Amino acid sequence: MMHHKLKSLVLVAFLIASMLPIYWMLNMSLKTNEEIVGVLSLWPQHLTFANYHTIFTDPSWYSGYINSMIYVALNMVLSVTVALPAAYAFSRYNFVGDKHLFFWLLTNRMTPPAVFLVPFFQLYSTVGLMDTHLAVALAHMVFNVPLAVWILEGFMSGVPKEIDETAYIDGYSFPRFFIQIFLPMIKSGVGVTAFFCFMFSWVELLLARTLTSVNAKPIAATMTRTVSAAGMDWGVLAAAGVLTIVPGALVIWFVRHYIAKGFAMGRV
Amino acid sequence: MKTDNNRAWFLILPVLLCVAFSAILPLMTVVNYSVQDILSPTQKVFVGTEWFRMVMLDGDLHSALLRQLLFSGSVLAIQIPLGILIALCMPADGWKASLALVLIALPLLIPWNVVGTIWQIFGRGDIGLMGYTLNSLGINYNYNGNSLDAWLTVMVMDIWHWTPLVALLCYAGLRAIPDAYYQAARIDGASRLAVFRYIQLPKLRNVLMIAVLLRFMDSFMIYTEPFVLTGGGPGNATTFLSQYLTQKAVGQFDLGPASAFSLIYFLIILLFCFVLYTWMQRVGTGDQK
Amino acid sequence: MARIELVELAHAYKPNPSAPTDYALRPMSMSWQDGGAYALLGPSGCGKTTLLNIISGLVKPSHGKVLFDGKDVTQLPTEARNIAQVFQFPVIYDTMTVHDNLAFPLRNRGWKEAEVKKRVQQVAQMLELSGDLKMRASGLSVDAKQKISLGRGLVRPDVAAVLFDEPLTVIDPHLKWLLRRKLKEIHHELKLSLIYVTHDQVEALTFADQVVVMTQGEVVQTGSAQALFEAPEHTFVGYFIGNPGMNLLECTVEDGQARVAGQLLALSEPARAALAGAQGKITLGVRPEFVECVSADQAGADTLAATVLAVRNMGTHYLAEFQLGGVTVAAKLRAIDAAAGDSVRLRFPPERTLYYLNDKRVA
C-alpha cells in the first residue's frame, strides 16, 4: 500500500526531529568543555567520558540520582498500595458521598503545584519531615494517588463481579481473595499505574526542590549549580541530563507491552 | 452492578489520610493566608476580600492570564492533531512498534528541568545545533533577547515534550478498535478518509477527551520548563500564571495576595475542566439517545 | 447469487507446510450451489472463520483457488467480490443515522441520491427498520444494530453471497430466534447464497440446507442435518452433533466379532468385511437415541452387559448413563425399568451401529 510508505516516512521524520535535541545533549556530554565552546561539531572530535566519570565519582552528583530514585520508588509503592483498596471501593460499591469524593480526588490533580509551594514548606517543616525522602514521596502522592485510583478503577470495573462472589462462596477471606485472585487479574493495570506514578514523580521538580535541601536533594536540583569559576560546566551538565533519561528509558522498555494493552483495557 | 455498602469507607481511609494530609491542610493554610495581611509571623490582620479584589485588578495578572491562554490554546491546537497523526502512522505490532513506542515516549520521562536545559542548550547560537543552524541560515534567532523567538521556542519545546502523551493515548485507542470495523469498511468500499472520519475518529472520542483535559490542565499549570528555558523573559514575555504566582509568593513574599491568587488560579482550572468535561459528556450521551 | 467453488484450497502459516498441524485450513475442494444456505460448524479454532475470510477475501489463501460462478477471484480484494459479511458483534458507523449507515456502501459506489433513498427504504422495510431510519445508529439495541450490519450487506443489489461469522453471539437468547427467522425469510425472498459460521449445532442444523462440519482445519463432512445425524462419516461429527453426542467406544476385532470393553459383540456382515485385517484404531459408534436397554436375562450375541449409573427424567424422555467396562454409555429412552446399580444389557441395533477406522467411517 502506498500510504504504508507515507506512514513510515512521517513517523521516521517525527522521530528524528524528536530525538535530535536529546542526541545533541548526548553529543555534548561526550565532549570536553573546551571542545564544546570551541567548535560546533555533530559528533565528538575527541571522545571523552570524563564528564560521566565526574558524576559517578562525585558524591554531590550521584547522591542526587540516588535520592531521586528513593523517593520515586517510595512514592510508587505508597501510591499504588493506598490506591488499590480505594479503587476497589469505587469500582464495586455505592456509598455515601462516593461521587463527590471521586471528584474531590481528581481536583487534587488539577491544583497547580505552585499553589502548594509555601504551604508545603510550612507544613513539612512543622511536622519535622523537611528534607526527607518521605516528604517528597508524600507530596507527590497528592497528584499520583488520584491518577492511580482513576486508572485502577477503570481496570477493576473490567473484572466481572461474579468473580468476587464466587470467591466468597468458595470461602476466601477478603484479603486472600484480593491478593491471590483479584490482583493477578489486573496485573497490567497495576503496571500501567506504577508506570504513571513513576513518570510523574520522577519528572516533578518544583515540589521536590522546595521540600529538600541537603539530604534528599534530587538530581534536578544539583544540576542547577554547574557554574564554577571556570565558567559553565556544560559537559558535566549534559552528562547529568543524559543520565536522568536512562531510568525513564529503562522503565518504559520494560512496560512497553503493557502500555498499549494497558491503556486500551483501562479508562480509554 | 454496584452494591450499597458504607463500609467501603474503610477501604478509602488510607487514600483519605494521605491525600488529606498533603492536600487539605495546605489548602486550609492558603485559605487562611488569603484573607489576612501578614505583617510579621506574629502580626496578622484580617482583611477579608481585599486581597482578592487587589489581585483581580492587577494588570500584571491580566497580562499573565492572557499569555497563559494564548500559550495553552496554541500548543493544544498543534499537539492534538499532531498526536493523532503520529498515532495513525505507528505500526500496530512487532518489534517496530515496541521501538517506536519507546522512542516516542522518551521526552515524557525527562525531568522537567532537564527538558528546559536541553532546549536552552539546543537553542543557543554558540553551542546549540538549532540556534547555530538558524543563525547560519541567515535568520536572526535569539530566544533570550527577542520576545517572538522566546515564545516560539517555548511552544516548540512544549510540543516536543507533550505530543507523545497525546500520541500514546491515541495509539492505545486505535489498538482497541476491532479489526472487524476495518474489514466492514473495506467491504463497504470506504475511502481512507472515510475510515478515519467515520470509524477511527469517533472511536477515539474518549481518549481524546482525556488527552485534551490532561493537556489543558497541565499546560495551564506549567512552570519548570519555561522557567529554566527563558526565566520568564525577555522581560515577562513568557511569564505564565504559575511563574507569576511563584514570583509573588516566594520572590516578593506577598503571602496574602499570593494565596488569594492561588485560590483563583485553582478555580479557573477547575471551571474550565468542569465545562470541558460536561460538554464532552453531553456529546457522548447524545449518542445514547 | 453465485456458485462458489473452492479448488484445492488450503491455508498455512508457514511457507512450506509439511505436517497437518502447519495448516490453518487443510487442503479441500468443495462446491456450493447458487442460492443455498450453508453452515460451517465446528468448535473454536477449527478453521471455520479462516475459511469464511478466504471466501470473503479478507484473507488470501496460501494454496488453491476460489471461484465465483467460474471466475477466479482468489486475488481479488474484498470490495470487488460482491459479498457482504456480518460479524460477531454489530459493526455500524456510530456517528451516522440508520439511513446513512445503509446508504454508505451505495454512496461509495457513486449511486445517485434518489436511487440510494429508494433502495435504502426497500431494505429497511425488509428488515423492519423503516421506523428507525432517522435515528442515530449508535442508540439502538444490539439486535437492531446487527440488522443494520446485515442491511448494509443487502443494500447492494449485486451482492452474490452473504457471509455470517457467528452473528448471534451477542444477541439476547429470546431475540435469537426472531433474527434467525428473519434470516430465513430474507434467504427465501432474495435467494442469496448464505454461508453461516457457528459453533452452535442447533443454529447450524436449523438454519442451513447443508452443514459443513470442521475440526482442526479439516472439513470432515458435508451434508444435510439428517445425513449428519444418521450417518456421520467421522467420529468427530458423531461426537459433535447430537445432544448428547454419539457414544464412541474403542474396540478390537477378534474372529469376526468385536471386543468392546472386554465383552464380545456380534458384527454385521458388512462390518465384518470392512474391518477384516484392519490396522489402526477401531471405534464403535452408536447414538444414544438408538441404544436399547433390556433386562439382564435377555442376553444375546448383540447385547452387552452393563450397570446403570444414573437415570434422569428429562420430561420427553429418560437420559440414562451406563457403566460398560471402563467407559460410560449414554442412552435416550422412552421408558426404563431399571434403577441405579442394576445390571442390565445394552443392545446396539446393528443397522445403527457404525464403525470407524482411524476416525473415518468404514461401516
Side-chain angles (χ1 to χ4, degrees):
Chain A
M1 274 190 286
M2 198 211 70
H3 73 254
H4 210 60
K5 291 250 174 73
L6 187 64
K7 279 204 244 181
S8 305
L9 198 66
V10 171
L11 187 63
V12 169
F14 178 76
L15 281 176
I16 291 181
S18 190
M19 294 297 107
L20 210 51
I22 298 180
Y23 168 73
W24 191 247
M25 198 171 68
L26 177 67
N27 184 17
M28 263 177 56
S29 71
L30 296 167
K31 298 180 180 176
T32 60
N33 280 328
E34 293 79 32
E35 191 188 334
I36 294 173
V37 297
V39 56
L40 195 92
S41 53
L42 287 177
W43 60 88
Q45 307 290 357
H46 309 285
L47 189 71
T48 173
F49 291 107
N51 299 316
Y52 289 100
H53 188 254
T54 309
I55 296 184
F56 284 126
T57 51
D58 181 353
S60 63
W61 275 106
Y62 66 66
S63 64
Y65 289 104
I66 298 184
N67 287 333
S68 292
M69 287 199 246
I70 293 179
Y71 71 66
V72 169
L74 204 54
N75 176 277
M76 268 168 77
V77 168
L78 284 175
S79 295
V80 173
T81 312
V82 155
L84 276 171
Y88 185 79
F90 281 117
S91 148
R92 294 296 194 243
Y93 301 122
N94 288 323
F95 48 94
V96 169
D98 56 1
K99 294 208 189 352
H100 302 100
L101 189 63
F102 200 71
F103 185 67
W104 171 75
L105 270 182
L106 287 180
T107 61
N108 289 312
R109 175 74 178 69
M110 295 184 220
T111 318
V115 164
F116 285 128
L117 255 188
V118 174
F120 267 7
F121 193 87
Q122 297 185 335
L123 176 66
Y124 283 94
S125 305
T126 314
V127 296
L129 280 176
M130 212 45 199
D131 200 23
T132 59
H133 302 101
L134 186 60
V136 185
L138 282 177
H140 282 173
M141 279 177 79
V142 174
F143 313 111
N144 276 344
V145 167
L147 194 64
V149 170
W150 193 46
I151 296 178
L152 284 171
E153 197 265 336
F155 278 94
M156 290 184 179
S157 298
V159 177
K161 267 208 94 171
E162 284 74 32
I163 308 239
D164 306 23
E165 286 157 17
T166 315
Y168 296 143
I169 295 177
D170 285 345
Y172 278 83
S173 65
F174 180 70
R176 238 185 98 206
F177 150 72
F178 200 77
I179 297 178
Q180 288 186 351
I181 299 184
F182 200 65
L183 272 188
M185 297 193 80
I186 51 166
K187 246 188 357 211
S188 53
V190 175
V192 169
T193 309
F195 169 69
F196 276 111
C197 288
F198 168 85
M199 185 175 127
F200 282 117
S201 188
W202 178 250
V203 299
E204 203 284 330
L205 202 273
L206 187 55
L207 293 176
R209 202 175 52 187
T210 311
L211 293 172
T212 61
S213 48
V214 179
N215 294 327
K217 196 151 119 173
I219 179 60
T222 322
M223 280 177 70
T224 51
R225 66 150 194 65
T226 41
V227 188
S228 65
M232 195 72 178
D233 202 346
W234 292 113
V236 177
L237 182 67
V242 169
L243 286 178
T244 61
I245 303 183
V246 171
L250 284 175
V251 167
I252 209 184
W253 178 253
F254 282 123
V255 301
R256 67 190 182 281
H257 291 306
Y258 292 112
I259 294 186
K261 189 164 71 139
F263 268 112
M265 273 170 55
R267 265 317 191 174
V268 302
Chain B
M1 286 276 54
K2 298 189 190 180
T3 52
D4 293 329
N5 187 349
N6 281 333
R7 282 188 303 159
W9 272 96
F10 284 116
L11 295 170
I12 310 281
L13 220 48
V15 162
L16 221 47
L17 288 174
C18 291
V19 177
F21 171 73
S22 273
I24 297 191
L25 290 178
L27 231 40
M28 275 163 46
T29 321
V30 171
V31 172
N32 194 9
Y33 285 166
S34 67
V35 291
Q36 293 190 352
D37 190 354
I38 298 148
L39 301 164
S40 80
T42 47
Q43 268 186 298
K44 300 197 185 133
V45 178
F46 183 78
V47 293
T49 56
E50 183 178 323
W51 295 137
F52 288 97
R53 252 175 285 144
M54 193 180 105
V55 160
M56 301 272 256
L57 295 172
D58 184 0
D60 283 342
L61 170 65
H62 296 159
S63 323
L65 181 61
L66 276 168
R67 272 179 242 124
Q68 178 74 69
L69 286 170
L70 182 61
F71 175 71
S72 291
S74 326
V75 291
L76 230 64
I78 299 181
Q79 277 167 7
I80 304 286
L82 186 59
I84 299 178
L85 178 66
I86 300 300
L88 287 172
C89 291
M90 283 172 73
D93 48 27
W95 63 269
K96 288 189 193 163
S98 295
L99 183 63
L101 269 177
V102 172
L103 288 180
I104 288 199
L106 214 46
L108 290 173
L109 292 152
I110 306 178
W112 293 345
N113 70 312
V114 180
V115 171
T117 308
I118 289 180
W119 281 90
Q120 194 186 30
I121 298 177
F122 201 58
R124 282 172 69 115
D126 52 355
I127 55 171
L129 186 62
M130 183 172 84
Y132 184 80
T133 317
L134 286 174
N135 283 330
S136 58
L137 285 176
I139 306 171
N140 219 342
Y141 171 73
N142 179 1
Y143 66 78
N144 272 319
N146 183 320
S147 294
L148 182 62
D149 290 344
W151 258 91
L152 289 175
T153 315
V154 170
M155 277 177 58
V156 169
M157 176 180 69
D158 194 79
I159 292 171
W160 175 86
H161 189 190
W162 289 108
T163 304
L165 183 67
V166 182
L168 284 181
L169 282 169
C170 289
Y171 178 72
L174 283 175
R175 298 282 74 71
I177 302 178
D179 263 340
Y181 280 88
Y182 295 109
Q183 291 167 348
R186 276 166 65 186
I187 296 178
D188 288 342
S191 67
R192 188 81 191 76
L193 197 60
V195 167
F196 176 69
R197 188 172 156 205
Y198 294 118
I199 297 179
Q200 289 173 318
L201 207 51
K203 297 244 171 267
L204 284 178
R205 212 185 44 85
N206 287 337
V207 170
L208 283 176
M209 177 178 100
I210 297 176
V212 169
L213 265 179
L214 276 180
R215 279 314 306 139
F216 176 77
M217 286 191 320
D218 288 344
S219 78
F220 218 74
M221 300 196 272
I222 200 172
Y223 174 75
T224 317
E225 302 99 301
F227 183 68
V228 172
L229 178 61
T230 59
N236 57 4
T238 54
T239 303
F240 304 120
L241 281 181
S242 268
Q243 197 181 339
Y244 168 80
L245 170 59
T246 321
Q247 272 171 355
K248 268 227 162 343
V250 178
Q252 300 164 21
F253 217 68
D254 248 343
L255 283 187
S259 304
F261 174 60
S262 293
L263 291 175
I264 297 177
Y265 193 6
F266 173 57
L267 287 174
I268 295 178
I269 301 184
L270 201 59
L271 184 67
F272 272 120
C273 280
F274 184 71
V275 167
L276 216 59
Y277 184 75
T278 320
W279 174 68
M280 278 175 147
Q281 286 291 81
R282 198 168 299 143
V283 168
T285 49
D287 288 344
Q288 307 305 326
K289 250 201 301 290
Chain C
M1 291 119 274
R3 194 178 79 247
I4 301 177
E5 281 161 278
L6 309 171
V7 180
E8 291 298 316
L9 195 68
H11 191 63
Y13 299 120
K14 294 187 231 167
N16 289 316
S18 41
T21 46
D22 290 339
Y23 285 100
L25 197 63
R26 285 195 235 164
M28 49 95 90
S29 292
M30 196 173 296
S31 159
W32 285 329
Q33 297 302 345
D34 197 350
Y38 298 89
L40 300 179
L41 177 65
S44 298
C46 69
K48 52 192 195 290
T49 302
T50 310
L51 180 56
L52 195 76
N53 286 339
I54 289 178
I55 298 175
S56 69
L58 294 170
V59 169
K60 297 251 183 321
S62 56
H63 305 86
K65 292 200 282 215
V66 179
L67 304 174
F68 280 14
D69 278 337
K71 190 173 89 167
D72 187 347
V73 298
T74 324
Q75 298 304 320
L76 279 187
T78 314
E79 47 272 28
R81 284 198 200 194
N82 301 333
I83 55 106
Q85 189 155 342
V86 179
F87 298 90
Q88 257 174 347
F89 50 86
V91 173
I92 55 167
Y93 300 106
D94 289 317
T95 52
M96 297 188 198
T97 59
V98 175
H99 178 101
D100 288 336
N101 256 280
L102 295 174
F104 193 59
L106 299 176
R107 288 183 181 147
N108 284 333
R109 285 167 169 83
W111 277 41
K112 296 209 191 12
E113 263 315 296
E115 299 291 318
V116 171
K117 196 162 170 199
K118 206 169 72 172
R119 181 72 184 168
V120 166
Q121 281 177 342
Q122 232 177 0
V123 174
Q125 197 173 37
M126 208 178 358
L127 291 168
E128 292 166 18
L129 287 171
S130 304
D132 298 324
L133 282 176
K134 293 258 186 303
M135 289 189 62
R136 223 150 167 211
S138 55
L140 296 176
S141 60
V142 175
D143 56 298
K145 286 184 185 174
Q146 268 299 41
K147 283 203 270 186
I148 300 175
S149 292
L150 175 61
R152 274 211 323 279
L154 299 176
V155 80
R156 289 152 45 208
D158 60 341
V159 153
V162 183
L163 280 50
F164 297 88
D165 191 353
E166 311 206 40
L168 299 184
T169 311
V170 294
I171 310 289
D172 276 342
H174 65 279
L175 290 171
K176 277 196 204 196
W177 77 271
L178 271 174
L179 275 171
R180 252 187 267 153
R181 199 186 63 178
K182 177 62 62 186
L183 284 177
K184 274 197 111 74
E185 270 174 37
I186 292 179
H187 180 214
H188 194 71
E189 203 171 309
L190 294 178
K191 307 216 187 328
L192 296 166
S193 300
L194 298 181
I195 305 178
Y196 191 103
V197 163
T198 178
H199 60 268
D200 183 328
Q201 54 170 308
V202 173
E203 257 177 45
L205 297 172
T206 52
F207 174 83
D209 308 320
Q210 297 268 308
V211 177
V212 179
V213 182
M214 297 177 67
T215 177
Q216 294 182 322
E218 195 183 344
V219 173
V220 289
Q221 187 170 357
T222 306
S224 66
Q226 192 181 16
L228 291 174
F229 186 78
E230 291 184 356
E233 296 293 321
H234 194 282
T235 48
F236 177 77
V237 178
Y239 152 76
F240 197 72
I241 308 264
N243 189 17
M246 185 181 250
N247 292 303
L248 294 168
L249 309 164
E250 273 194 43
C251 59
T252 53
V253 176
E254 274 174 41
D255 297 326
Q257 287 186 309
R259 186 169 284 278
V260 184
Q263 300 176 49
L264 284 173
L265 182 70
L267 286 172
S268 63
E269 255 309 316
R272 208 177 314 157
L275 290 172
Q279 299 291 329
K281 185 175 84 169
I282 304 178
T283 318
L284 180 157
V286 59
R287 288 216 176 269
E289 287 80 357
F290 303 127
V291 173
E292 289 167 18
C293 172
V294 296
S295 57
D297 52 359
Q298 288 181 10
D302 57 356
T303 63
L304 296 166
T307 329
V308 179
L309 277 177
V311 179
R312 279 206 296 261
N313 186 345
M314 308 297 279
T316 50
H317 60 271
Y318 289 90
L319 183 63
E321 272 168 33
F322 303 92
Q323 190 74 31
L324 182 65
V327 294
T328 314
V329 173
K332 281 186 181 174
L333 306 163
R334 281 279 169 76
I336 179 164
D337 276 337
D342 289 355
S343 293
V344 294
R345 292 199 77 90
L346 297 174
R347 182 169 179 270
F348 299 161
E351 67 278 11
R352 294 293 190 191
T353 310
L354 307 172
Y355 292 89
Y356 298 87
L357 179 62
N358 291 328
D359 293 328
K360 299 225 175 24
R361 175 147 176 243
V362 292

